Amino acid sequence: MIPNDSLDGWTPPVPRRTIARPAAAGSLLTAPLDESPANSTAAAVRRITEALARVDPNHPALSSYLEVLRSLATSLEESGQAVPARLDQIWQGDGVTGHDPATGPQNPISPPLALYDVGDGWAEGVVTLGLPYQGPPGLVHGGVSALLLDAALASANALMGTDGMTVALDIAYRRPTPLYTPLTVRAKQIRVEGRKRFVSGEIRDSGGVTVTASGVFVGR
Amino acid sequence: MIPNDSLDGWTPPVPRRTIARPAAAGSLLTAPLDESPANSTAAAVRRITEALARVDPNHPALSSYLEVLRSLATSLEESGQAVPARLDQIWQGDGVTGHDPATGPQNPISPPLALYDVGDGWAEGVVTLGLPYQGPPGLVHGGVSALLLDAALASANALMGTDGMTVALDIAYRRPTPLYTPLTVRAKQIRVEGRKRFVSGEIRDSGGVTVTASGVFVGR
């Protein structure tokens, strides 16, 4: 960790609300999927990550790719900002959802899962996951399912005009969730008790529900 | 999705056990952290992902980086294998843990979290997470905490010589988990009832526990 990464003394800004209420039915709840340089760059890194998972680790060409990637990493690091400054910009400017590790098109880690207001309080999106998200053979990692559901639950909560930190997330794995198959991820706020918001969600493949989730958020 | 990605008709191999029991105390439970080309390439992509999160999305140099990344992605895609063939190799050859999205050093998505047998049944590791893993301002995404805990729970379960699929994962968020701070992630199998294995885990920062997890695995 380089010294300017320290967040000691940094005061988190109150995030700008990224969702207007009520959202128009059908509207995108997560960050814009345009072909901006930031989105496109992340998409290219995502392709590299998927391709690397398909390459034999003993492939003789890996070493030459390594040199190019290292050189690129060094250049990009020189173009970057110190973390506290960058965080202030993310939270007051270009919006966190672009960087979200589940839904953010600017984050190469995310698939990304785009979520829409599909009516009746549901936040819903469809995503197909490849090798980088594998747990058991041919199946989605259980922790990745949890990551996607956590994001969907938070989005469904925000859709109802409430926000808050997750205090509990319970996941039940009912059937295996396959890779390379379109998966529907959806969530809905079920009820509010004081500052507590209860939200449920699920992942479905063509055969029905594979994973369910219940979450509790506590708002301000 | 290109046609040869289909897993229809593909039979998942029974994974080769990657953990011998009993593991020597102090031994690594996750994939080797050597500087192999596959590990080093993933590490370089990880640096790019972190650096991209620090670059202003309007930075004029992004477009030139984009061209290089796209060209590299295309070359790598040409060096890759069809998914079913690659999956067979992963599961019968080089070991899944290298590709695990939480612990795998060959997977740019993972931090990676390396887990060790630290005695008394605990699987434990220390990890520092940067911007790509952010949820709320300056904090770890709740779904990322779930991903790391799921992996730690599975590792603790395997450490006791049992395996199995996760059927339930309950996460409680007790305090915010900070970015750019060493976090200890650990888990331990608590009890076995028939085919059910109960495992608990937690994430700690220097101030104590931030997140706890309970999981139930069902073995063969």
Side-chain angles (χ1 to χ4, degrees):
Chain A
M1 193 184 341
I2 57 176
N4 67 5
D5 284 349
S6 173
L7 295 179
D8 291 348
W10 177 72
T11 305
V14 176
R16 192 186 58 168
R17 304 267 323 196
T18 51
I19 298 166
R21 181 185 184 241
S27 66
L28 182 62
L29 301 172
T30 44
L33 301 166
D34 55 65
E35 295 188 7
S36 65
N39 282 4
S40 299
T41 308
V45 177
R46 221 172 271 131
R47 280 175 60 199
I48 290 171
T49 296
E50 166 81 23
L52 279 175
R54 292 167 180 245
V55 173
D56 186 322
N58 300 312
H59 195 292
L62 266 189
S63 298
S64 62
Y65 292 126
L66 175 56
E67 288 316 306
V68 180
L69 287 165
R70 279 184 171 157
S71 155
L72 202 56
T74 301
S75 299
L76 271 166
E77 283 164 357
E78 287 163 1
S79 302
Q81 297 170 285
V83 168
R86 183 71 189 115
L87 278 180
D88 284 341
Q89 186 184 8
I90 286 177
W91 285 100
Q92 289 162 350
D94 52 282
V96 70
T97 54
H99 296 270
D100 188 271
T103 67
Q106 291 182 30
N107 189 337
I109 285 177
S110 81
L113 170 66
L115 292 163
Y116 295 84
D117 171 6
V118 297
D120 197 28
W122 286 100
E124 182 176 309
V126 176
V127 68
T128 298
L129 301 173
L131 276 179
Y133 303 98
Q134 180 177 244
L139 304 176
V140 176
H141 192 288
V144 170
S145 295
L147 170 62
L148 298 179
L149 283 163
D150 183 68
L153 266 56
S155 187
N157 196 40
L159 175 61
M160 300 311 288
T162 53
D163 55 7
M165 300 279 286
T166 319
V167 296
L169 177 67
D170 292 355
I171 311 280
Y173 299 91
R174 304 192 183 268
R175 289 197 299 119
T177 304
L179 295 177
Y180 297 104
T181 299
L183 303 170
T184 299
V185 185
R186 60 182 204 150
K188 178 179 176 166
Q189 190 189 82
I190 302 302
R191 68 180 197 279
V192 175
E193 290 176 11
R195 289 171 59 213
K196 283 191 181 173
R197 291 89 199 235
F198 297 84
V199 186
S200 292
E202 62 188 23
I203 299 178
R204 305 175 69 96
D205 67 4
S206 60
V209 173
T210 64
V211 188
T212 59
S214 305
V216 182
F217 295 79
V218 171
R220 278 188 280 269
Chain B
M1 192 185 341
I2 55 174
N4 67 7
D5 284 349
S6 173
L7 296 178
D8 291 349
W10 177 72
T11 305
V14 176
R16 191 187 59 168
R17 304 269 323 196
T18 51
I19 297 165
R21 183 188 184 238
S27 66
L28 182 63
L29 301 172
T30 43
L33 300 166
D34 55 64
E35 296 187 6
S36 64
N39 283 3
S40 300
T41 307
V45 176
R46 222 173 270 129
R47 281 175 60 200
I48 290 171
T49 296
E50 166 81 23
L52 279 176
R54 292 166 180 245
V55 173
D56 186 322
N58 301 310
H59 196 293
L62 267 189
S63 296
S64 63
Y65 292 125
L66 175 57
E67 288 316 305
V68 179
L69 287 165
R70 278 184 171 157
S71 154
L72 203 56
T74 301
S75 298
L76 271 166
E77 284 165 356
E78 287 162 1
S79 300
Q81 298 170 283
V83 168
R86 183 69 189 115
L87 278 180
D88 284 340
Q89 186 183 9
I90 285 176
W91 285 99
Q92 288 162 351
D94 53 282
V96 69
T97 55
H99 296 271
D100 188 90
T103 67
Q106 291 182 30
N107 189 338
I109 285 178
S110 82
L113 170 67
L115 292 162
Y116 295 84
D117 171 5
V118 296
D120 197 28
W122 286 100
E124 182 176 309
V126 176
V127 69
T128 299
L129 301 173
L131 276 179
Y133 303 97
Q134 180 177 243
L139 304 176
V140 176
H141 192 288
V144 170
S145 295
L147 169 62
L148 297 179
L149 283 164
D150 183 67
L153 266 56
S155 187
N157 196 40
L159 175 61
M160 300 310 289
T162 53
D163 55 6
M165 299 281 284
T166 320
V167 297
L169 177 68
D170 291 356
I171 312 279
Y173 299 92
R174 305 193 182 268
R175 288 196 300 118
T177 304
L179 296 177
Y180 297 104
T181 299
L183 303 171
T184 300
V185 185
R186 60 182 204 149
K188 178 178 175 165
Q189 189 187 84
I190 302 302
R191 66 180 198 280
V192 175
E193 290 176 13
R195 289 171 58 212
K196 284 190 182 174
R197 292 90 200 233
F198 296 84
V199 185
S200 292
E202 62 189 20
I203 299 177
R204 307 175 68 94
D205 66 6
S206 60
V209 173
T210 64
V211 187
T212 58
S214 304
V216 183
F217 295 79
V218 172
R220 277 188 280 269

